[in-house]
Amino acid sequence: MKTTMMKVALGALLAVTLVGQAKVAILNTQKALLDTAEIKKAQADLEAKYRPRTDDLKRLDSELVDIQNRLNAGAGKLTPQVEGDLNAQGTRKQREMQRKQEDLQADVERDRQEILLKASQRMQEVVKKLSDEKGYDVVFDVANTVHFKPALEITTEATAAYDKAHPVAK
């Protein structure tokens, strides 16, 4: 996939070069996206949204530590019934914690992917507009570029243009 993308990009660059001097820019798409006010706000919103569930996981972890400490402190002193009850409680809590962790991770990942997809599409529109305004013939992503002069990089401009085009409500 990357090889095909590189061939297409090199072909486009060669075609532009044959016609005239190409105006090229380099973009760190990931950095440009992550530096936008929208993504920063979305990250804070996700943390707030899932804080009660992470707090619940911390509580469960604390309860597991407490059960383990009780078992360790009572080693050899607890009745088989009490030791069995504590072990059963610990097993139930571990299962509950694992399920909750997996559910939380899946929900966060789903929300994160949705946010990044929307922002990526918007960033592409912003970069196209910026490219048209600046007269760039081709814009390469830094991830697919072996070497470039730092003066060619437009990442900061793209982030600023994105923030201007998609302001975040305070």
Side-chain angles (χ1 to χ4, degrees), residues 39-55:
I39 292 296
K40 289 176 182 176
K41 182 180 183 313
Q43 180 65 31
D45 291 347
L46 279 178
E47 288 174 14
K49 177 180 178 178
Y50 291 111
R51 186 169 294 116
R53 290 172 65 181
T54 57
D55 289 347

Side-chain angles (χ1 to χ4, degrees), residues 5-7 13-15 27 48 50 55 58 91 103 111 123 126 133 139 146:
M5 289 173 45
M6 286 297 290
K7 287 178 183 176
L13 183 59
L14 180 61
L27 174 70
Y50 291 111
D55 289 347
K58 288 177 187 174
T91 301
D103 290 347
D111 285 354
M123 182 59 79
V126 166
E133 289 172 2
V139 177
V146 176

Side-chain angles (χ1 to χ4, degrees), residues 12-141:
L13 183 59
L14 180 61
V16 171
T17 303
L18 291 175
V19 173
Q21 190 66 354
K23 192 166 180 188
V24 178
I26 304 294
L27 174 70
N28 184 333
T29 307
Q30 184 176 5
K31 180 175 177 6
L33 271 174
L34 295 178
D35 286 350
T36 63
E38 182 178 20
I39 292 296
K40 289 176 182 176
K41 182 180 183 313
Q43 180 65 31
D45 291 347
L46 279 178
E47 288 174 14
K49 177 180 178 178
Y50 291 111
R51 186 169 294 116
R53 290 172 65 181
T54 57
D55 289 347
D56 187 39
L57 286 170
K58 288 177 187 174
R59 178 191 54 78
L60 280 170
D61 187 53
S62 177
E63 290 174 6
L64 276 169
V65 168
D66 181 54
I67 290 169
Q68 189 60 50
N69 288 340
R70 289 170 47 197
L71 281 167
N72 290 342
K77 302 172 194 168
L78 299 173
T79 66
Q81 176 67 35
V82 171
E83 188 174 336
D85 288 347
L86 286 173
N87 280 320
Q89 274 183 328
T91 301
R92 280 193 305 275
K93 295 232 183 256
Q94 279 181 320
R95 263 186 266 147
E96 178 184 0
M97 189 169 156
Q98 184 175 353
R99 277 194 301 269
K100 287 183 176 190
Q101 281 175 326
E102 289 169 358
D103 290 347
L104 176 61
Q105 186 175 359
D107 290 348
V108 168
E109 187 60 28
R110 184 195 66 243
D111 285 354
R112 191 168 186 262
Q113 288 302 319
E114 187 177 299
I115 290 164
L116 288 175
L117 177 64
K118 180 181 171 186
S120 293
Q121 291 168 342
R122 287 178 162 184
M123 182 59 79
Q124 285 181 346
E125 294 166 7
V126 166
V127 170
K128 182 179 179 345
K129 184 177 178 188
L130 184 62
S131 180
D132 290 344
E133 289 172 2
K134 301 282 186 168
Y136 297 125
D137 295 305
V138 64
V139 177
F140 290 104
D141 188 88

